[in-house]
Amino acid sequence: MTAHSLIDSQLGYYRARAAEYDSTFVPYQEAGLPAALERLRAGNIRGEVLELASGTGYWTRFLSEAADTVTCLDGSPEMIEEARRHGLANVSFQQQDLFDWTPERQWDSVFFAHWLAHVPDENFDAFWSSVRKAVRPGGVVEFVDVTGEARRLEQQDAQQPEIAVQRSLEDGRTFRIVKIFREPAELAERLGALGWTCEIDEVHPGFLYATCRP
Ligand code: SAH
């Protein structure tokens, strides 16, 4: 399977999972939340905020408290539907494939959680160059993701164990998705080579929080 069909399968998985996402994600996420929130609330997230791959709006709730406005992009209309239920007045949504995205305006801060691990290596540089275009001078990019510590929770893909895992839905359907565990030091170095200065910490076992400036 090429990376292209993997990323299609990945979006198909999240579209189908939208309604059951919170019940499976929240228990897993809860332990790392306090440490991540401490960073999210440290003052870099402010003004006009862009959230990528916003999903059901788990993080959007906290961003919306810190921001004047939040613009959420996600490739799944079903996820956007779920996120709208939070009824946050300063949040707007747009369906957008992030592998085919050229920002047409800029924001003060850009945030994404549990998205970068879904970006294949061959899309990494192009993704970050789009992010670069979305950040105002003096702006910041922050993201949350997993480290290798979280690998044991996943079922490794038989064909591409380095970059993919297998996920199942409650109805038994299975999907292959991209899941790349990148460690803080490795990420900081790779982003450094693209012109970013990053502070990336494992804020809780298995969870990293990154603050990056162009
Ligand atoms: N940030 C949220 C959701 C993470 S799950 C959270 O932390 O809970 C990954 C999200 O990426 C899903 O909402 C899924 O719909 C979205 N997604 C998957 N492929 C995408 C693509 N190609 N373009 C944009 N969004 C995509």
Side-chain angles (χ1 to χ4, degrees):
M1 201 186 242
T2 63
H4 191 254
S5 48
L6 245 190
I7 62 178
D8 290 345
S9 154
Q10 164 160 281
L11 181 55
Y13 165 69
Y14 280 108
R15 294 189 62 176
R17 187 185 170 200
E20 64 191 68
Y21 183 85
D22 283 349
S23 64
T24 47
F25 174 77
V26 172
Y28 157 73
Q29 181 57 47
E30 219 75 311
L33 184 63
L37 280 184
E38 206 171 300
R39 287 279 288 264
L40 191 156
R41 291 172 170 157
N44 293 318
I45 300 290
R46 52 170 189 83
E48 296 183 322
V49 174
L50 173 66
E51 184 183 11
L52 304 176
S54 43
T56 58
Y58 182 84
W59 298 92
T60 316
R61 299 170 299 154
F62 307 114
L63 298 174
S64 104
E65 289 168 5
D68 294 334
T69 63
V70 185
T71 308
C72 290
L73 306 185
D74 198 285
S76 162
E78 296 81 359
M79 284 289 187
I80 291 174
E81 206 51 42
E82 292 292 326
R84 280 191 202 281
R85 292 183 196 203
H86 295 293
L88 301 166
N90 61 346
V91 177
S92 63
F93 297 91
Q94 240 171 279
Q95 187 188 343
Q96 177 65 52
D97 183 349
L98 292 173
F99 294 121
D100 182 21
W101 169 55
T102 308
E104 271 152 23
R105 51 159 289 196
Q106 295 189 315
W107 287 264
D108 298 307
S109 341
V110 179
F111 178 91
F112 40 96
H114 303 291
W115 168 248
L116 196 59
H118 296 320
V119 177
D121 276 330
E122 62 264 40
N123 301 84
F124 191 93
D125 294 7
F127 170 70
W128 278 97
S129 106
S130 295
V131 170
R132 177 70 192 85
K133 293 190 187 105
V135 190
R136 274 196 190 121
V140 72
V141 178
E142 299 206 319
F143 63 92
V144 169
D145 221 310
V146 289
T147 68
E149 175 81 13
R151 194 190 289 269
R152 64 197 157 78
L153 303 170
E154 300 278 359
Q155 189 187 340
Q156 257 185 22
D157 182 64
Q159 300 166 49
Q160 292 168 283
E162 293 307 314
I163 65 156
V165 300
Q166 197 165 337
R167 293 275 184 89
S168 314
L169 295 177
E170 279 162 4
D171 67 9
R173 277 182 291 166
T174 64
F175 296 80
R176 302 177 63 233
I177 67 167
V178 179
K179 188 83 177 186
I180 303 173
F181 298 91
R182 301 180 176 107
E183 297 306 319
E186 173 198 346
L187 265 177
E189 191 183 318
R190 182 142 188 203
L191 288 169
L194 296 178
W196 296 87
T197 304
C198 297
E199 185 192 327
I200 309 182
D201 302 295
E202 188 162 11
V203 291
H204 184 85
F207 295 97
L208 63 80
Y209 197 103
T211 303
C212 299
R213 291 186 170 78

mmCIF file with all atom_site columns, all heavy atoms in Angstrom, residues 99-110:
data_model
loop_
_atom_site.group_PDB
_atom_site.id
_atom_site.type_symbol
_atom_site.label_atom_id
_atom_site.label_alt_id
_atom_site.label_comp_id
_atom_site.label_asym_id
_atom_site.label_entity_id
_atom_site.label_seq_id
_atom_site.pdbx_PDB_ins_code
_atom_site.Cartn_x
_atom_site.Cartn_y
_atom_site.Cartn_z
_atom_site.occupancy
_atom_site.B_iso_or_equiv
_atom_site.pdbx_formal_charge
_atom_site.auth_seq_id
_atom_site.auth_comp_id
_atom_site.auth_asym_id
_atom_site.auth_atom_id
_atom_site.pdbx_PDB_model_num
ATOM 1   N N   . PHE A 1 99  ? -3.307 17.656 3.775  1.00 0.00 ? 99  PHE A N   1
ATOM 2   C CA  . PHE A 1 99  ? -2.245 17.262 2.841  1.00 0.00 ? 99  PHE A CA  1
ATOM 3   C C   . PHE A 1 99  ? -2.380 18.006 1.513  1.00 0.00 ? 99  PHE A C   1
ATOM 4   O O   . PHE A 1 99  ? -1.628 17.756 0.575  1.00 0.00 ? 99  PHE A O   1
ATOM 5   C CB  . PHE A 1 99  ? -2.254 15.749 2.627  1.00 0.00 ? 99  PHE A CB  1
ATOM 6   C CG  . PHE A 1 99  ? -1.903 14.981 3.873  1.00 0.00 ? 99  PHE A CG  1
ATOM 7   C CD1 . PHE A 1 99  ? -2.789 14.065 4.426  1.00 0.00 ? 99  PHE A CD1 1
ATOM 8   C CD2 . PHE A 1 99  ? -0.685 15.193 4.509  1.00 0.00 ? 99  PHE A CD2 1
ATOM 9   C CE1 . PHE A 1 99  ? -2.463 13.373 5.581  1.00 0.00 ? 99  PHE A CE1 1
ATOM 10  C CE2 . PHE A 1 99  ? -0.355 14.510 5.674  1.00 0.00 ? 99  PHE A CE2 1
ATOM 11  C CZ  . PHE A 1 99  ? -1.249 13.598 6.206  1.00 0.00 ? 99  PHE A CZ  1
ATOM 12  N N   . ASP A 1 100 ? -3.364 18.892 1.457  1.00 0.00 ? 100 ASP A N   1
ATOM 13  C CA  . ASP A 1 100 ? -3.577 19.686 0.251  1.00 0.00 ? 100 ASP A CA  1
ATOM 14  C C   . ASP A 1 100 ? -4.051 21.071 0.702  1.00 0.00 ? 100 ASP A C   1
ATOM 15  O O   . ASP A 1 100 ? -5.153 21.492 0.428  1.00 0.00 ? 100 ASP A O   1
ATOM 16  C CB  . ASP A 1 100 ? -4.650 18.998 -0.612 1.00 0.00 ? 100 ASP A CB  1
ATOM 17  C CG  . ASP A 1 100 ? -4.891 19.743 -1.909 1.00 0.00 ? 100 ASP A CG  1
ATOM 18  O OD1 . ASP A 1 100 ? -4.013 20.509 -2.322 1.00 0.00 ? 100 ASP A OD1 1
ATOM 19  O OD2 . ASP A 1 100 ? -5.990 19.579 -2.482 1.00 0.00 ? 100 ASP A OD2 1
ATOM 20  N N   . TRP A 1 101 ? -3.177 21.749 1.445  1.00 0.00 ? 101 TRP A N   1
ATOM 21  C CA  . TRP A 1 101 ? -3.590 22.956 2.149  1.00 0.00 ? 101 TRP A CA  1
ATOM 22  C C   . TRP A 1 101 ? -2.570 24.078 1.939  1.00 0.00 ? 101 TRP A C   1
ATOM 23  O O   . TRP A 1 101 ? -1.389 23.901 2.228  1.00 0.00 ? 101 TRP A O   1
ATOM 24  C CB  . TRP A 1 101 ? -3.723 22.639 3.645  1.00 0.00 ? 101 TRP A CB  1
ATOM 25  C CG  . TRP A 1 101 ? -3.883 23.820 4.539  1.00 0.00 ? 101 TRP A CG  1
ATOM 26  C CD1 . TRP A 1 101 ? -4.824 24.806 4.462  1.00 0.00 ? 101 TRP A CD1 1
ATOM 27  C CD2 . TRP A 1 101 ? -3.078 24.144 5.702  1.00 0.00 ? 101 TRP A CD2 1
ATOM 28  N NE1 . TRP A 1 101 ? -4.667 25.710 5.492  1.00 0.00 ? 101 TRP A NE1 1
ATOM 29  C CE2 . TRP A 1 101 ? -3.609 25.327 6.262  1.00 0.00 ? 101 TRP A CE2 1
ATOM 30  C CE3 . TRP A 1 101 ? -1.973 23.535 6.310  1.00 0.00 ? 101 TRP A CE3 1
ATOM 31  C CZ2 . TRP A 1 101 ? -3.067 25.922 7.402  1.00 0.00 ? 101 TRP A CZ2 1
ATOM 32  C CZ3 . TRP A 1 101 ? -1.439 24.126 7.446  1.00 0.00 ? 101 TRP A CZ3 1
ATOM 33  C CH2 . TRP A 1 101 ? -1.981 25.312 7.980  1.00 0.00 ? 101 TRP A CH2 1
ATOM 34  N N   . THR A 1 102 ? -3.054 25.202 1.426  1.00 0.00 ? 102 THR A N   1
ATOM 35  C CA  . THR A 1 102 ? -2.237 26.409 1.338  1.00 0.00 ? 102 THR A CA  1
ATOM 36  C C   . THR A 1 102 ? -2.975 27.513 2.073  1.00 0.00 ? 102 THR A C   1
ATOM 37  O O   . THR A 1 102 ? -4.014 27.970 1.604  1.00 0.00 ? 102 THR A O   1
ATOM 38  C CB  . THR A 1 102 ? -2.018 26.830 -0.135 1.00 0.00 ? 102 THR A CB  1
ATOM 39  O OG1 . THR A 1 102 ? -1.532 25.701 -0.863 1.00 0.00 ? 102 THR A OG1 1
ATOM 40  C CG2 . THR A 1 102 ? -1.023 27.962 -0.238 1.00 0.00 ? 102 THR A CG2 1
ATOM 41  N N   . PRO A 1 103 ? -2.478 27.906 3.242  1.00 0.00 ? 103 PRO A N   1
ATOM 42  C CA  . PRO A 1 103 ? -3.191 28.922 4.017  1.00 0.00 ? 103 PRO A CA  1
ATOM 43  C C   . PRO A 1 103 ? -3.255 30.248 3.264  1.00 0.00 ? 103 PRO A C   1
ATOM 44  O O   . PRO A 1 103 ? -2.269 30.667 2.649  1.00 0.00 ? 103 PRO A O   1
ATOM 45  C CB  . PRO A 1 103 ? -2.383 29.061 5.305  1.00 0.00 ? 103 PRO A CB  1
ATOM 46  C CG  . PRO A 1 103 ? -1.175 28.233 5.146  1.00 0.00 ? 103 PRO A CG  1
ATOM 47  C CD  . PRO A 1 103 ? -1.265 27.426 3.907  1.00 0.00 ? 103 PRO A CD  1
ATOM 48  N N   . GLU A 1 104 ? -4.409 30.891 3.333  1.00 0.00 ? 104 GLU A N   1
ATOM 49  C CA  . GLU A 1 104 ? -4.563 32.160 2.632  1.00 0.00 ? 104 GLU A CA  1
ATOM 50  C C   . GLU A 1 104 ? -4.584 33.365 3.559  1.00 0.00 ? 104 GLU A C   1
ATOM 51  O O   . GLU A 1 104 ? -4.760 34.488 3.120  1.00 0.00 ? 104 GLU A O   1
ATOM 52  C CB  . GLU A 1 104 ? -5.831 32.110 1.759  1.00 0.00 ? 104 GLU A CB  1
ATOM 53  C CG  . GLU A 1 104 ? -5.483 31.551 0.379  1.00 0.00 ? 104 GLU A CG  1
ATOM 54  C CD  . GLU A 1 104 ? -6.643 30.833 -0.289 1.00 0.00 ? 104 GLU A CD  1
ATOM 55  O OE1 . GLU A 1 104 ? -7.807 31.113 0.061  1.00 0.00 ? 104 GLU A OE1 1
ATOM 56  O OE2 . GLU A 1 104 ? -6.359 29.985 -1.173 1.00 0.00 ? 104 GLU A OE2 1
ATOM 57  N N   . ARG A 1 105 ? -4.397 33.109 4.848  1.00 0.00 ? 105 ARG A N   1
ATOM 58  C CA  . ARG A 1 105 ? -4.255 34.202 5.803  1.00 0.00 ? 105 ARG A CA  1
ATOM 59  C C   . ARG A 1 105 ? -3.361 33.713 6.940  1.00 0.00 ? 105 ARG A C   1
ATOM 60  O O   . ARG A 1 105 ? -2.872 32.586 6.899  1.00 0.00 ? 105 ARG A O   1
ATOM 61  C CB  . ARG A 1 105 ? -5.616 34.649 6.346  1.00 0.00 ? 105 ARG A CB  1
ATOM 62  C CG  . ARG A 1 105 ? -6.481 33.512 6.887  1.00 0.00 ? 105 ARG A CG  1
ATOM 63  C CD  . ARG A 1 105 ? -7.535 34.005 7.844  1.00 0.00 ? 105 ARG A CD  1
ATOM 64  N NE  . ARG A 1 105 ? -6.919 34.445 9.103  1.00 0.00 ? 105 ARG A NE  1
ATOM 65  C CZ  . ARG A 1 105 ? -7.609 34.640 10.232 1.00 0.00 ? 105 ARG A CZ  1
ATOM 66  N NH1 . ARG A 1 105 ? -8.910 34.454 10.261 1.00 0.00 ? 105 ARG A NH1 1
ATOM 67  N NH2 . ARG A 1 105 ? -7.001 35.026 11.346 1.00 0.00 ? 105 ARG A NH2 1
ATOM 68  N N   . GLN A 1 106 ? -3.148 34.593 7.949  1.00 0.00 ? 106 GLN A N   1
ATOM 69  C CA  . GLN A 1 106 ? -2.252 34.223 9.044  1.00 0.00 ? 106 GLN A CA  1
ATOM 70  C C   . GLN A 1 106 ? -2.932 34.369 10.404 1.00 0.00 ? 106 GLN A C   1
ATOM 71  O O   . GLN A 1 106 ? -3.900 35.121 10.546 1.00 0.00 ? 106 GLN A O   1
ATOM 72  C CB  . GLN A 1 106 ? -0.995 35.096 9.003  1.00 0.00 ? 106 GLN A CB  1
ATOM 73  C CG  . GLN A 1 106 ? -0.175 34.835 7.735  1.00 0.00 ? 106 GLN A CG  1
ATOM 74  C CD  . GLN A 1 106 ? 1.167  35.523 7.774  1.00 0.00 ? 106 GLN A CD  1
ATOM 75  O OE1 . GLN A 1 106 ? 1.268  36.691 8.136  1.00 0.00 ? 106 GLN A OE1 1
ATOM 76  N NE2 . GLN A 1 106 ? 2.205  34.796 7.407  1.00 0.00 ? 106 GLN A NE2 1
ATOM 77  N N   . TRP A 1 107 ? -2.388 33.640 11.366 1.00 0.00 ? 107 TRP A N   1
ATOM 78  C CA  . TRP A 1 107 ? -2.925 33.636 12.725 1.00 0.00 ? 107 TRP A CA  1
ATOM 79  C C   . TRP A 1 107 ? -1.799 33.934 13.726 1.00 0.00 ? 107 TRP A C   1
ATOM 80  O O   . TRP A 1 107 ? -0.619 33.769 13.402 1.00 0.00 ? 107 TRP A O   1
ATOM 81  C CB  . TRP A 1 107 ? -3.526 32.255 13.040 1.00 0.00 ? 107 TRP A CB  1
ATOM 82  C CG  . TRP A 1 107 ? -4.819 31.977 12.354 1.00 0.00 ? 107 TRP A CG  1
ATOM 83  C CD1 . TRP A 1 107 ? -6.084 32.154 12.874 1.00 0.00 ? 107 TRP A CD1 1
ATOM 84  C CD2 . TRP A 1 107 ? -5.017 31.462 11.029 1.00 0.00 ? 107 TRP A CD2 1
ATOM 85  N NE1 . TRP A 1 107 ? -7.036 31.770 11.950 1.00 0.00 ? 107 TRP A NE1 1
ATOM 86  C CE2 . TRP A 1 107 ? -6.418 31.344 10.812 1.00 0.00 ? 107 TRP A CE2 1
ATOM 87  C CE3 . TRP A 1 107 ? -4.157 31.085 9.980  1.00 0.00 ? 107 TRP A CE3 1
ATOM 88  C CZ2 . TRP A 1 107 ? -6.964 30.874 9.624  1.00 0.00 ? 107 TRP A CZ2 1
ATOM 89  C CZ3 . TRP A 1 107 ? -4.693 30.623 8.794  1.00 0.00 ? 107 TRP A CZ3 1
ATOM 90  C CH2 . TRP A 1 107 ? -6.086 30.518 8.625  1.00 0.00 ? 107 TRP A CH2 1
ATOM 91  N N   . ASP A 1 108 ? -2.201 34.327 14.962 1.00 0.00 ? 108 ASP A N   1
ATOM 92  C CA  . ASP A 1 108 ? -1.196 34.600 16.003 1.00 0.00 ? 108 ASP A CA  1
ATOM 93  C C   . ASP A 1 108 ? -0.583 33.314 16.539 1.00 0.00 ? 108 ASP A C   1
ATOM 94  O O   . ASP A 1 108 ? 0.601  33.270 16.876 1.00 0.00 ? 108 ASP A O   1
ATOM 95  C CB  . ASP A 1 108 ? -1.845 35.365 17.173 1.00 0.00 ? 108 ASP A CB  1
ATOM 96  C CG  . ASP A 1 108 ? -2.388 36.703 16.732 1.00 0.00 ? 108 ASP A CG  1
ATOM 97  O OD1 . ASP A 1 108 ? -1.615 37.474 16.133 1.00 0.00 ? 108 ASP A OD1 1
ATOM 98  O OD2 . ASP A 1 108 ? -3.587 36.976 16.953 1.00 0.00 ? 108 ASP A OD2 1
ATOM 99  N N   . SER A 1 109 ? -1.411 32.280 16.667 1.00 0.00 ? 109 SER A N   1
ATOM 100 C CA  . SER A 1 109 ? -0.903 30.989 17.149 1.00 0.00 ? 109 SER A CA  1
ATOM 101 C C   . SER A 1 109 ? -1.554 29.865 16.362 1.00 0.00 ? 109 SER A C   1
ATOM 102 O O   . SER A 1 109 ? -2.712 29.968 15.956 1.00 0.00 ? 109 SER A O   1
ATOM 103 C CB  . SER A 1 109 ? -1.205 30.752 18.635 1.00 0.00 ? 109 SER A CB  1
ATOM 104 O OG  . SER A 1 109 ? -1.495 31.931 19.313 1.00 0.00 ? 109 SER A OG  1
ATOM 105 N N   . VAL A 1 110 ? -0.779 28.818 16.164 1.00 0.00 ? 110 VAL A N   1
ATOM 106 C CA  . VAL A 1 110 ? -1.272 27.617 15.489 1.00 0.00 ? 110 VAL A CA  1
ATOM 107 C C   . VAL A 1 110 ? -1.105 26.462 16.467 1.00 0.00 ? 110 VAL A C   1
ATOM 108 O O   . VAL A 1 110 ? -0.057 26.342 17.117 1.00 0.00 ? 110 VAL A O   1
ATOM 109 C CB  . VAL A 1 110 ? -0.482 27.336 14.193 1.00 0.00 ? 110 VAL A CB  1
ATOM 110 C CG1 . VAL A 1 110 ? -0.985 26.068 13.507 1.00 0.00 ? 110 VAL A CG1 1
ATOM 111 C CG2 . VAL A 1 110 ? -0.566 28.525 13.239 1.00 0.00 ? 110 VAL A CG2 1
#
